C-alpha cells in the first residue's frame, strides 16, 4: 500500500537535471575575450539572465521535490534500531528509494545554489568589464573643434556615412507587412483602452474652466491627468509598437534598428517634455496651473519646449544614423558634439532665470537647480572644446534626463497622493443579517487602505526614479533589468533569501489580514450587540480575543511569505528570552495580565471600578494597559499588572444590582416611631426601590446633637445610586416639614440648664427695681 502511495505522490525517481556549469563556463570564457564591444556585452548579459532564470526555476523544482520526498520519508517513521524487529522488504525498499530521491534533490539544490553564486560572480565581472569599457570611452579624446582639420574630416565623413546607412535601409531589410500590422494592432489596443479611461478621468477630476479657484489637491490631480493624456498614453502606445518590432527581430542590428530606436527616443523625449510643460502650466486655464507663471513667460517657455521637442523628433534618428559604425571618428565626434549642444541648450533655455523670476519668492530651490544646470553645462562645453566628446555628452544628457525624471516623479507623486485624498471613502459593507460594522471600523479600513496604497505608490515611484536616474547616468537597460530581476528573484543573505516580490506579498497579506481582522471584529461586535443580550464586557472580551488571534495569524502568514524559517525564529526568540526577561519584563507582565483580564474578566469594559483611589468606568482593555474614564471625564491609564496584583472594587462585576445608603440625623425630642414610619414611606414610594429585598429604616445611635437613622434600599441599576439617593433625600426633607419633624440646622443643639430659674430671677429683679423719678420734680 505504501508503494502505491509513493508512486502516486510524485514522479518515480526524477533524474537530476543537467549541470548548468557548462553554459556558465562558456560565458566565462567569452568574458575573457578582450575584443568585446557593446553588442557582445548585451548578448552576454542576456545569456547570464537566461541562466539565472533557468537555475532559479530548477532550484524551486528541486526544493519542492526534496520537500515532498522528505514528507513521505517522515511518514514511514524512523528505521528500526538494532535489536528491534525488521521491517518488511517493501517498506525497506520504499525507504531506500525515498532516501535516494531526497539525496538527489538536495544535491541538485546545492548545484543550483552554486550556479546562482556563479551567476552573481559573472554579473559582477561583466559589470566590471562594462564599467572599464565605459570609463575608457569617457576618457577618449578626439580632435578638438578648435583645430581646423576637425571640420574638414567631419564634413567628409558625414556624406559617406549617410550613403552607407541608406544602403542598409533597402526594402528587403525593412519589416514585413505582418510585423507592421501587429505593431499597429498593439498600439491601437493601448489607445482603445487608454483613451476612454483618460477621458473619464478628465470628466471626473480634470480641468474645469468654470472653477475659478480650485483647491491644491484638485489642481494637482488635474495636472496628472493632463500629463497622462498628452505624454504617458502616447509614449506607452509608441513603445508597445516598438516592443513588437523588437520581438520579431528587426532591431537586432543594422541601420533600421538604429533608426527606429533613436526615433522612439526622440519622440518619447518630445512627448514627455511637452506633456510636462502643458500639464504644469495649463495654458488655457491659468487658475489650474501648478506653476503660475505670467502670460509672457508662460508662452516663451512653451515655445522653447515645443521647439526643442521638434528638434529631438527630427534630429534623433539622423544623429543615430550618422553616429553609427558607418561614419569615421571625426564624423561621429561632430554628431556627438551637436547632440551635446542640444542637451545643454535645452537645459539652459528651460532653466533661464528670466523665466522663473516671478516665482522666486515661492520657489527658492530654483536657484540651486539653475546653478547646477549652468555648472554642468559649462563642464560639458569645456569637454567638447578639449576633445572629450563622449564625456561632454554624458554630462549634458545626464543632466537633462535627470531633470526630466525628477519633474515626472514629483508630478506623479503629488498627483497620486492627492488622488487618494479625493477618493471617496468606501461605504460600510453589509453583513449577512443586514447589520453593519461601526463607522469607526469603516473609517479605519478606509484609512488603512489609503495608507497602503500611498505606500505602494511611493515605493513604485521611488524605484522608477532610481531606475531613470541610473539610465540617465550611463547604465544600460540590460544591466538595469538584470539588477531589477535580481532584486525581484531575491538576494541571498546567509541561508535567507529576500526578494522584492516576497516582501511586497508579505506587506499585502499583512495589510489584508489586519483589515480583514478589523472588519470581522467590527461585524462581530455589531452582531453581538444587535442580536444577543451579552454583557458589554463579555462582548468586548470576545471581540478583543478575535482581534488578537487575527493579528497573530496575519503576522505568521506574512513571516512565512517572506520565506523565513519559523523554527529559526523560535531559536532566536529562545536566545533572546533572557534579555526579554530582564529588559522587557514589565511589558511582558502587562501583556500577560491583559490576557488574564480578558479570560477571567475580573474587570471588563463598562464596569464601574475603584482602583487606588481612582473611580470611574473601564473604557478599553489594551495589550499593555487599561483605560479608566473618571466621572469628571478624565482618562486614567492603568497598567494591567496593577489590576491583577492590587485590590479592585468593582461595583458591577456580576450584575448591576446594588444598595443605597442614606444617613440622617433628627432633632432630639422627635417622635421616633413616627420618624421611622415617615422615612420608610419615603424610601418605599420611590419607583426604583425594589420590593425585594424590602427597604428598612434603622435607629442607629444617639448622636451628640441628633438621633441618627440609617435608610437602606436596593435598586436594579447601581449606576443610578447617586441619583436615587438624591431624590429620596429630597422626599425626606419635604416629608419632615409636613410632619413637623425637626432636622438640626448644624446638626448641633445647645441646651442651657436651669433656664426657667434664671428667667424667674430676672423677672423678680425687674419687679423690685424702684420707679424712676420724673424730670420736672427732680429739678424742683
Amino acid at each position: 500500500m505504501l508503494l502505491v502511495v509513493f508512486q502516486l505522490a510524485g514522479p518515480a525517481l526524477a533524474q537530476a537535471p543537467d549541470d548548468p556549469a557548462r553554459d556558465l563556463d562558456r560565458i566565462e570564457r567569452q568574458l575573457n575575450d578582450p575584443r568585446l564591444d557593446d553588442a557582445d556585452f548585451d548578448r552576454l548579459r542576456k545569456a547570464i539572465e537566461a541562466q539565472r532564470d533557468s537555475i532559479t526555476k530548477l532550484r524551486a523544482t528541486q526544493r519542492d521535490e526534496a520537500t515532498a520526498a522528505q514528507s513521505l520519508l517522515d511518514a514511514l517513521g524512523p528505521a528500526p534500531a538494532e535489536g528491534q524487529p525488521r521491517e518488511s522488504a517493501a517498506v525497506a525498499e520504499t525507504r531506500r528509494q525515498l532516501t535516494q530521491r531526497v539525496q538527489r534533490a538536495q544535491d541538485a539544490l546545492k548545484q543550483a545554489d552554486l550556479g546562482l553564486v556563479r551567476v552573481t560572480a559573472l554579473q559582477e565581472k561583466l559589470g566590471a568589464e562594462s564599467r572599464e569599457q565605459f570609463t575608457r570611452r569617457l576618457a577618449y579624446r578626439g580632435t578638438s573643434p578648435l583645430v581646423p582639420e576637425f571640420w574638414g574630416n567631419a564634413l567628409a565623413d558625414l556624406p559617406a556615412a549617410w550613403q552607407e546607412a541608406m544602403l542598409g535601409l533597402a526594402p528587403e531589410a525593412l519589416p514585413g507587412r505582418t510585423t507592421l500590422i501587429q505593431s499597429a494592432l498593439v498600439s491601437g489596443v493601448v489607445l482603445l483602452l487608454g483613451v476612454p479611461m483618460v477621458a473619464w478621468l478628465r470628466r471626473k477630476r480634470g480641468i474645469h474652466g468654470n472653477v475659478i479657484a480650485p483647491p491644491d489637491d484638485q489642481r494637482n490631480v488635474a495636472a496628472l491627468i493632463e500629463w497622462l493624456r498628452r505624454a504617458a498614453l502616447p509614449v506607452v502606445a509608441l513603445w508597445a509598437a516598438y516592443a513588437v518590432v523588437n520581438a520579431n527581430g528587426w532591431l537586432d542590428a543594422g541601420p533600421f534598428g538604429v533608426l527606429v530606436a533613436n526615433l522612439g527616443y526622440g519622440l518619447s523625449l518630445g512627448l514627455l517634455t511637452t506633456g510636462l510643460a502643458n500639464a504644469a502650466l495649463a495654458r488655457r486655464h491659468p487658475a489650474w496651473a501648478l506653476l503660475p507663471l505670467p502670460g509672457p513667460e508662460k508662452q516663451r517657455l512653451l515655445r522653447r519646449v515645443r521647439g526643442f521637442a521638434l528638434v529631438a523628433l527630427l534630429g534623433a534618428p539622423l544623429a543615430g544614423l550618422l553616429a553609427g559604425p558607418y561614419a569615421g571618428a571625426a564624423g561621429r565626434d561632430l554628431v556627438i558634439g551637436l547632440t551635446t549642444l542640444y542637451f545643454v541648450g535645452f537645459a539652459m533655455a528651460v532653466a533661464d532665470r528670466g523665466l522663473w523670476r516671478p516665482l522666486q519668492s515661492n520657489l527658492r530651490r530654483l536657484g540651486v537647480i539653475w546653478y547646477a544646470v549652468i555648472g554642468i553645462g559649462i563642464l560639458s562645453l569645456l569637454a567638447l572644446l578639449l576633445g572629450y566628446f563622449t564625456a561632454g555628452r554624458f554630462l549634458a544628457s545626464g543632466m537633462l534626463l535627470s531633470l526630466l525624471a525628477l519633474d515626472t516623479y514629483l508630478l506623479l507623486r503629488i498627483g497620486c497622493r492627492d488622488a487618494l485624498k479625493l477618493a471617496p471613502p468606501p461605504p460600510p459593507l453589509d453583513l449577512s443579517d443586514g447589520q453593519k460594522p461601526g463607522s469607526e471600523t469603516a473609517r479605519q479600513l478606509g484609512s488603512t487602505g489609503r495608507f497602503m496604497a500611498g505606500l505602494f505608490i511611493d515605493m513604485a515611484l521611488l524605484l522608477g526614479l532610481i531606475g531613470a536616474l541610473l539610465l540617465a547616468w550611463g547604465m544600460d537597460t540590460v544591466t538595469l533589468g538584470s539588477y531589477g530581476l535580481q532584486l525581484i528573484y531575491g538576494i541571498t543573505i546567509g541561508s535567507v533569501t529576500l526578494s522584492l516580490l516576497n516582501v511586497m506579498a508579505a506587506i499585502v497579506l499583512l495589510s489584508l489580514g489586519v483589515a480583514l481582522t478589523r472588519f470581522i471584529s467590527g461585524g462581530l461586535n455589531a452582531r453581538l450587540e444587535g442580536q444577543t443580550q451579552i454583557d458589554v464586557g463579555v462582548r468586548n472580551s470576545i471581540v478583543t480575543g478575535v482581534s488578537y488571534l487575527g493579528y497573530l495569524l496575519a503576522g505568521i502568514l506574512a513571516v512565512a511569505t517572506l520565506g523565513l524559517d519559523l523554527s529559526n525564529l523560535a531559536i532566536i526568540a529562545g536566545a533572546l528570552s533572557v534579555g526579554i526577561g530582564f529588559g522587557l519584563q514589565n511589558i511582558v507582565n502587562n501583556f500577560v495580565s491583559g490576557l488574564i483580564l480578558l479570560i477571567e474578566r475580573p474587570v471588563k469594559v463598562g464596569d464601574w471600578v475603584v482602583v487606588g483611589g481612582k473611580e470611574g468606568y473601564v473604557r478599553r482593555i489594551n495589550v499593555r494597559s487599561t483605560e479608566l474614564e473618571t466621572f469628571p471625564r478624565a482618562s486614567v491609564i492603568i497598567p494591567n499588572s496593577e489590576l491583577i496584583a492590587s485590590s479592585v472594587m468593582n461595583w458591577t462585576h456580576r450584575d448591576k444590582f446594588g444598595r443605597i445608603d442614606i444617613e440622617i440625623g433628627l432633632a432630639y425630642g422627635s417622635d421616633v416611631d413616627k420618624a421611622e414610619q415617615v422615612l420608610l414611606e419615603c424610601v418605599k414610594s420611590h419607583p426604583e426601590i425594589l420590593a425585594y429585598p424590602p427597604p428598612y429604616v434603622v435607629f442607629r445611635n444617639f448622636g451628640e446633637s441628633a438621633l441618627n437613622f440609617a435608610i437602606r434600599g436596593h435598586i436594579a441599576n447601581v449606576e443610578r445610586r447617586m441619583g436615587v439617593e438624591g431624590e429620596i433625600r429630597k422626599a425626606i426633607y419635604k416629608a419632615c416639614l409636613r410632619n413637623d419633624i425637626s432636622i438640626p440646622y448644624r446638626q448641633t443643639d445647645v441646651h442651657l440648664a436651669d433656664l426657667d430659674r434664671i428667667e424667674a430671677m430676672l423677672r423678680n429683679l425687674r419687679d423690685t427695681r424702684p420707679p424712676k423719678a420724673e424730670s420736672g420734680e427732680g429739678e424742683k
Side-chain angles (χ1 to χ4, degrees):
M1 182 66 181
L2 193 57
L3 282 174
V4 175
V5 174
F6 168 64
Q7 295 294 333
L8 294 177
L13 302 179
Q15 299 296 323
D18 295 335
D19 188 2
R22 291 193 299 270
D23 294 333
L24 296 177
D25 291 339
R26 175 177 53 81
I27 294 174
E28 188 171 8
R29 288 194 300 270
Q30 293 178 2
L31 272 176
N32 295 326
D33 191 348
R35 298 169 297 177
L36 294 176
D37 55 12
D38 290 340
D40 294 328
F41 281 124
D42 292 341
R43 177 177 51 80
L44 290 176
R45 288 191 187 97
K46 293 178 180 178
I48 293 174
E49 288 304 323
Q51 288 297 316
R52 171 182 286 277
D53 294 342
S54 176
I55 294 174
T56 301
K57 294 177 181 177
L58 173 64
R59 187 173 180 271
T61 302
Q62 295 304 318
R63 184 174 60 246
D64 295 340
E65 175 73 12
T67 302
Q70 186 63 45
S71 63
L72 293 174
L73 187 61
D74 294 339
L76 291 178
E82 185 177 357
Q84 294 181 350
R86 294 183 178 181
E87 57 189 5
S88 64
V91 174
E93 178 62 20
T94 302
R95 187 186 302 279
R96 184 186 65 80
Q97 293 180 5
L98 285 174
T99 303
Q100 292 179 355
R101 181 176 166 186
V102 171
Q103 188 62 43
R104 281 196 297 269
Q106 290 179 349
D107 292 343
L109 192 60
K110 293 178 181 179
Q111 291 292 335
D113 291 337
L114 179 61
L116 288 178
V117 173
R118 291 195 61 189
V119 164
T120 303
L122 288 176
Q123 285 180 330
E124 293 177 355
K125 184 176 181 180
L126 179 63
E129 294 290 338
S130 179
R131 288 191 296 271
E132 184 177 353
Q133 186 187 61
F134 181 72
T135 303
R136 290 196 301 267
R137 189 177 300 166
L138 288 180
Y140 161 76
R141 184 180 182 185
T143 304
S144 171
L146 301 177
V147 178
E149 290 80 3
F150 168 79
W151 297 98
N153 296 332
L155 295 176
D157 285 340
L158 293 181
W162 177 257
Q163 293 178 1
E164 189 173 352
M166 290 299 102
L167 292 176
L169 291 176
E172 60 273 9
L174 299 179
R177 181 181 301 176
T178 303
T179 301
L180 295 178
I181 293 176
Q182 291 176 350
S183 302
L185 287 176
V186 171
S187 297
V189 170
V190 172
L191 294 176
L192 185 63
L193 296 176
V195 170
M197 181 188 69
V198 173
W200 178 81
L201 289 174
R202 291 188 70 197
R203 289 194 303 270
K204 293 291 185 181
R205 298 295 183 185
I207 295 176
H208 297 285
N210 56 349
V211 179
I212 300 177
D216 291 340
D217 49 4
Q218 293 184 5
R219 185 186 299 113
N220 295 334
V221 174
L224 175 61
I225 295 173
E226 286 299 308
W227 181 82
L228 292 175
R229 182 175 73 93
R230 295 176 178 271
L233 185 58
V235 168
V236 171
L238 171 67
W239 286 100
Y242 179 89
V244 174
V245 178
N246 187 27
N248 289 339
W250 292 99
L251 302 180
D252 292 339
F256 178 77
V258 175
L259 177 66
V260 173
N262 283 273
L263 180 63
Y265 295 146
L267 186 56
S268 299
L269 180 62
L271 289 172
L272 290 175
T273 52
T274 55
L276 276 173
N278 284 281
L281 297 177
R283 179 173 58 88
R284 296 182 180 179
H285 304 282
W288 290 82
L290 295 182
L291 301 174
L293 286 175
E297 286 81 2
K298 180 186 297 185
Q299 295 299 329
R300 196 185 317 160
L301 178 60
L302 287 175
R303 285 195 298 268
R304 292 180 183 182
V305 171
R306 292 168 183 168
F308 280 98
L310 182 61
V311 172
L313 175 62
L314 300 177
L318 182 63
L321 290 176
L322 296 179
Y326 318 108
R332 288 198 299 271
D333 290 344
L334 177 59
V335 174
I336 292 174
L338 293 175
T339 305
T340 304
L341 289 177
Y342 164 78
F343 287 142
V344 174
F346 189 11
M348 289 188 174
V350 173
D352 184 7
R353 297 190 71 176
L355 290 175
W356 305 102
R357 188 172 290 111
L359 302 181
Q360 286 292 337
S361 58
N362 297 326
L363 303 177
R364 300 187 180 278
R365 297 180 182 178
L366 289 176
V368 178
I369 297 176
W370 184 82
Y371 285 117
V373 170
I374 294 298
I376 296 177
I378 293 175
L379 289 177
S380 301
L381 296 178
L382 288 176
L384 290 182
L385 294 178
L386 294 176
Y388 294 98
F389 295 93
T390 305
R393 183 178 64 177
F394 171 74
L395 291 173
S397 62
M399 170 190 61
L400 180 60
L401 295 178
S402 296
L403 290 176
L404 182 61
L406 286 172
D407 291 340
T408 305
Y409 166 77
L410 292 176
L411 177 62
L412 288 173
R413 189 176 186 277
I414 62 176
C416 293
R417 280 288 186 176
D418 289 336
L420 289 176
K421 295 178 183 178
L422 294 177
L429 300 178
D430 291 338
L431 301 178
S432 58
D433 58 349
Q435 296 290 335
K436 295 182 179 180
S439 59
E440 181 67 18
T441 302
R443 186 189 64 80
Q444 290 178 356
L445 289 176
S447 62
T448 302
R450 294 187 185 192
F451 171 75
M452 295 308 303
L455 178 62
F456 280 116
I457 289 174
D458 286 344
M459 291 177 58
L461 292 179
L462 183 59
L463 290 176
L465 175 63
I466 293 174
L469 293 177
L470 291 176
L471 290 175
W473 291 100
M475 180 175 288
D476 57 275
T477 55
V478 179
T479 303
L480 181 62
S482 173
Y483 287 145
L485 290 175
Q486 184 176 358
L487 183 63
I488 291 174
Y489 285 136
I491 301 175
T492 302
I493 304 175
S495 60
V496 179
T497 301
L498 296 178
S499 68
L500 181 62
L501 288 179
N502 289 342
V503 172
M504 295 180 64
I507 294 175
V508 170
L509 288 176
L510 181 61
S511 303
L512 290 177
V514 172
L516 183 61
T517 300
R518 289 182 176 179
F519 172 72
I520 292 176
S521 60
L524 180 61
N525 187 30
R527 185 186 297 269
L528 293 176
E529 182 180 8
Q531 292 187 347
T532 65
Q533 301 298 325
I534 297 179
D535 181 74
V536 62
V538 178
R539 185 171 71 246
N540 178 265
S541 298
I542 295 175
V543 172
T544 305
V546 171
S547 301
Y548 287 171
L549 180 61
Y551 295 150
L552 178 62
L553 292 177
I556 293 175
L557 186 60
V559 171
T561 304
L562 285 175
L564 301 179
D565 191 355
L566 297 181
S567 61
N568 294 336
L569 294 180
I571 295 174
I572 296 174
L576 295 177
S577 60
V578 177
I580 292 175
F582 286 100
L584 302 177
Q585 56 181 348
N586 290 332
I587 297 177
V588 174
N589 185 18
N590 290 322
F591 176 75
V592 175
S593 299
L595 296 179
I596 295 175
L597 291 177
L598 292 176
I599 295 174
E600 293 188 355
R601 294 188 297 109
V603 173
K604 54 188 179 296
V605 173
D607 282 354
W608 176 8
V609 299
V610 179
V611 182
K614 304 297 183 181
E615 183 176 4
Y617 290 100
V618 177
R619 292 306 183 196
R620 188 175 292 106
I621 300 177
N622 297 318
V623 175
R624 189 196 65 84
S625 61
T626 296
E627 179 182 343
L628 184 70
E629 183 180 300
T630 63
F631 297 126
R633 307 284 295 179
S635 295
V636 180
I637 309 302
I638 302 174
N640 291 330
S641 58
E642 291 188 13
L643 297 176
I644 298 297
S646 61
S647 299
V648 178
M649 185 173 70
N650 192 337
W651 285 90
T652 58
H653 178 49
R654 289 187 298 271
D655 50 43
K656 294 185 178 182
F657 183 81
R659 192 183 76 177
I660 65 166
D661 298 324
I662 299 177
E663 305 288 337
I664 186 172
L666 300 179
Y668 276 94
S670 300
D671 188 344
V672 176
D673 295 331
K674 182 180 179 182
E676 287 186 351
Q677 183 180 0
V678 170
L679 296 178
L680 186 59
E681 183 64 28
C682 290
V683 69
K684 284 184 176 181
S685 62
H686 195 281
E688 295 189 41
I689 296 297
L690 300 177
Y692 183 84
Y696 57 91
V697 177
V698 178
F699 184 9
R700 292 288 301 274
N701 202 354
F702 295 96
E704 294 182 357
S705 58
L707 303 175
N708 295 329
F709 290 83
I711 305 170
R712 302 290 184 262
H714 293 81
I715 56 177
N717 186 1
V718 74
E719 295 178 351
R720 285 277 301 147
R721 177 170 173 264
M722 296 181 67
V724 172
E725 290 179 351
E727 294 169 0
I728 293 177
R729 288 190 181 96
K730 186 186 299 183
I732 290 173
Y733 178 73
K734 294 179 180 179
C736 288
L737 291 179
R738 288 196 306 267
N739 293 276
D740 295 329
I741 300 176
S742 299
I743 301 175
Y745 175 69
R746 292 176 178 259
Q747 296 296 314
T748 301
D749 288 345
V750 177
H751 297 276
L752 297 178
D754 298 331
L755 184 60
D756 296 337
R757 188 169 62 86
I758 294 175
E759 183 179 1
M761 292 176 62
L762 291 176
R763 189 181 301 112
N764 293 330
L765 288 175
R766 185 187 62 184
D767 295 339
T768 57
R769 186 178 59 180
K772 186 175 181 181
E774 294 183 359
S775 59
E777 294 176 355
E779 292 175 354
K780 291 179 180 181

